[in-house]
Amino acid sequence: MTSLTGVAVIGAGVAGAICAHEITRMGVPVTLIGPPAADRDFDVLLPAGFPVLGIGETDVGSYTVSFGPDRFVRWTRPGFSFCRGDDLEQALICRAVDSGARHVRGTVEEIEPDDGRWHLTVSAGEESELLAVDDFVLATGAGAGPYSAEVTGVACAQVFAGLEAEGPMLHVAAPDNTNARSAPWSIRVVPSANGATATISVTSLSLEPAADLFERALKELEAVHARYGRLEPVGARRVYAINGTFDPQASGEGPGLRIGSAAGLINPFSGDGISHALSSARLAAEAISGGPGAGTRYARSLSRTFVGQMGTAEHAARRYHLAWRMLSHTASQDNPFFAKGRRAALLPGGFGDLAPPLSLGGGNRVDPFVAACSEVLMTCVRPHWPFLASLVAAQEGTNRQEFRPSALLAAAVIACGARPEASWAPIAAAMELAALGMLALTATGPTISPGTPGVDWSSATAILAGDFLLAKGAQLIARHATELSAPFSGWMEELVEQRVRAVTGHDDAPAQFFGALFEFPARIGAGLADADDRMSERLRTVGHECGRAFLYSEDVLALDGAPTRMDTTLEGLRAARLSSLPAHIEASEHEVLRGSRARSAAAAYERAMALLRENGDRRATALLAGILHSIAEPALAGREQQ
């Protein structure tokens, strides 16, 4: 008997169940194939933004990443949670069924093309069923069933008692100094909700026997943290094959669309796969709902969403010795450049988990331009230094992004009554590279004492990355907009001058630095739109006030102890001279300083809004006004509370 259905999702784990639910919600019939896993009786981390299922999810109060006994970084209120793995998968399957998906608790034995469709032979015990589908999704992980993904590593997990875990912890193991090709491996500890047990999971990109890997991991934990020497195993050890080779084209070209770990979306540093399973499942559902050509659309979406982060993972895997030292030696550095790199490499979900979203609006008028800018950035950075690609990777849609010069440039163009042209994307990309390069060069504080043998990885990374990014930005301008070479060079000179003034103790330098940083994209946007002198000067001032509002709003967030948009702390902002606050402040002064900075940001916002109102065409300036409001929102909220 042959059953007809629109799409088959093979694999009823996290990725498969989410994908089935999303496709069904879009009006496409779905058959979800596979039983829930019977061996997920351990705790797993859920990234920020994961659907709330009501299965006893426990919020994570803090998350610690260690590289050794004296090298660690801790995030407070990271925004994610944990729960039992088997409860998670069962709840996701029920959600898919409730939304209209059909669930078959069987396995796919054979997949054959026939007359433009796919015929799947599904075995469920002694019975079998033949499904005819228009397309199918592979969510089977590695090494399982037809068209299974390549096995490139191993993961194992076991529950232990006798451990008083303060919260989830990730230990990124040091590479083997005797082996230049040693593969990345990491250990993660996730406590249970009741605190009585904890799950220890190990992920490695090598094919080392699981038993040897796990024993090595337990010894590593005990050497780094003595309390791990008193563990008592509870239940069996679970072992899984993993695929760590991410290839967006292969995942979309088929047969079938690969999602989750079947697409190689595993972070080698943290072992995280759930956040990527969520994202890739939704991307696949969106591609399928568009009709024919789903594979091409899916491959494009995968590339746009993951190339930066997974490019970093692949680069780190090939050069683990260097990547580990860069991360471990800068673990104590709160500089925004290092903080952003750590978040992308180590946190579940990478970007988007800590900083509050910046809602820009503008819809399709600016989204394609920002996406084109991102593609230029990736083309420039990834082949030469993939580790930096994670710092410029764009999320899908501007309303999920932090501030970007490309969005400000596009908003300025629109404010002048024009539309951003794709040919201008290299200009915006040059600005973003330069801004990130300046951020890298703000890194302060060596990680070794003068005269101590060894490499100061903190300073070396900052200087090499900053020089590389600035050079790439200048190269883009020289190649695509020669007439802007002089203004671009002048902008760089001004930023450097203000940084020197900040380091030498000039109180107004941070405000001048951020004013110049934001003014230039607005000024160039006006020039590209052929605005008259009056409009150009107005937008220059608006851009400058945007920068000042951003600086003061960052200070407000830092004084509140809230996540800042530069991903750092109050101490980190002050150490890098990226704050308008005094070098030394007492806790008792925080409330007064917060009020002062909130008023300064609000004043900059009002001055910029007054200039935008002078334009008369509110529709044209709406996007720019939205950016301005999002930048100043922390300060405006503070003003409303007073």
Side-chain angles (χ1 to χ4, degrees), residues 64-69 71-73 169-173 224-225 324:
T64 303
V65 178
S66 74
F67 300 90
R71 288 181 182 161
F72 65 91
V73 59
M169 187 218 41
L170 170 69
H171 176 68
V172 185
V224 174
H225 306 282
W324 184 86

Side-chain angles (χ1 to χ4, degrees), residues 408-410 412-413 416 424 431 520-531 539:
L408 187 54
L409 183 148
V413 169
C416 296
W424 298 339
M431 295 179 191
F520 188 70
R523 183 210 319 173
I524 297 303
L528 292 172
D530 293 326
L539 289 179

Side-chain angles (χ1 to χ4, degrees), residues 15 139-142 149-150 241-245 259-266 273 276-277 280:
T140 52
E150 178 184 1
I242 62 173
N243 169 35
T245 57
I259 64 175
S261 57
L265 292 170
I266 296 290
H276 301 325
S280 61

Side-chain angles (χ1 to χ4, degrees), residues 135-136 246-259 263 287 293-300 302:
D135 211 340
F136 64 93
F246 173 60
D247 184 342
Q249 289 304 119
S251 296
E253 290 175 353
L257 278 61
R258 299 176 185 271
I259 64 175
T296 301
R297 288 192 297 274
Y298 177 59
R300 190 181 301 122
L302 272 185

